[in-house]
Amino acid sequence: MSAIGWNDNAPIYRQLKERVVGMMLDGVLKPGDALPSVRQIAAEYQLNPITVSRAYQELVDETLVEKRRGLGMYVTEGARDKLLATERERFLREDWPAMLERIRRLGLDVATLLSVPAADTGAAS
């Protein structure tokens, strides 16, 4: 994992979980890949191990990772597909309506929106 800037808008365990989810969606973590150990993450980011464990436990509860006794946590088969489906549904339910309202309020049309070059985020499309 790379450097993480924590913010005060959400609990750290949730931010850590979202970071791992992002790595799964981006293909950095693939099915069968091991997650860094709780101790390793706690030491690297100066976090309480309980905070890291809580983030990891939520991933287990959502069947995105599995515990292998004595071995650690591993990304499950189908985790990325499950995340994509969940995130797409959440986007369409929560984010898109607000975005659509803002587009309407600003008087933007489809042609204008499509003519704006996409920002280069470094992620593959």
Side-chain angles (χ1 to χ4, degrees), residues 20-40:
V20 174
V21 164
M23 292 172 72
M24 288 179 193
L25 287 171
D26 292 342
V28 175
L29 287 172
K30 296 174 178 49
D33 285 354
L35 272 61
S37 73
V38 168
R39 288 182 188 166
Q40 182 182 349

Side-chain angles (χ1 to χ4, degrees), residues 76-88:
T76 59
E77 286 295 325
R80 184 173 187 276
D81 292 337
K82 183 177 182 178
L83 281 170
L84 279 172
T86 302
E87 288 298 307
R88 286 174 178 161

Side-chain angles (χ1 to χ4, degrees), residues 50-61:
I50 295 171
T51 299
V52 180
S53 292
R54 185 166 180 190
Y56 279 13
Q57 186 58 49
E58 286 201 0
L59 294 167
V60 169
D61 292 346

Side-chain angles (χ1 to χ4, degrees), residues 43-111:
E44 187 172 340
Y45 298 107
Q46 299 179 350
L47 298 174
N48 185 320
I50 295 171
T51 299
V52 180
S53 292
R54 185 166 180 190
Y56 279 13
Q57 186 58 49
E58 286 201 0
L59 294 167
V60 169
D61 292 346
E62 295 173 17
T63 64
L64 300 172
V65 300
E66 62 184 359
K67 291 181 186 179
R68 295 185 188 165
R69 190 172 198 101
L71 298 174
M73 302 276 197
Y74 290 80
V75 178
T76 59
E77 286 295 325
R80 184 173 187 276
D81 292 337
K82 183 177 182 178
L83 281 170
L84 279 172
T86 302
E87 288 298 307
R88 286 174 178 161
E89 191 275 327
R90 186 193 59 75
F91 173 80
L92 292 172
R93 185 184 67 246
E94 296 174 13
D95 299 335
W96 180 242
M99 200 176 297
L100 188 57
E101 179 57 32
R102 183 147 191 218
I103 288 168
R104 287 185 182 139
R105 187 174 290 134
L106 295 173
L108 296 170
D109 60 24
V110 173

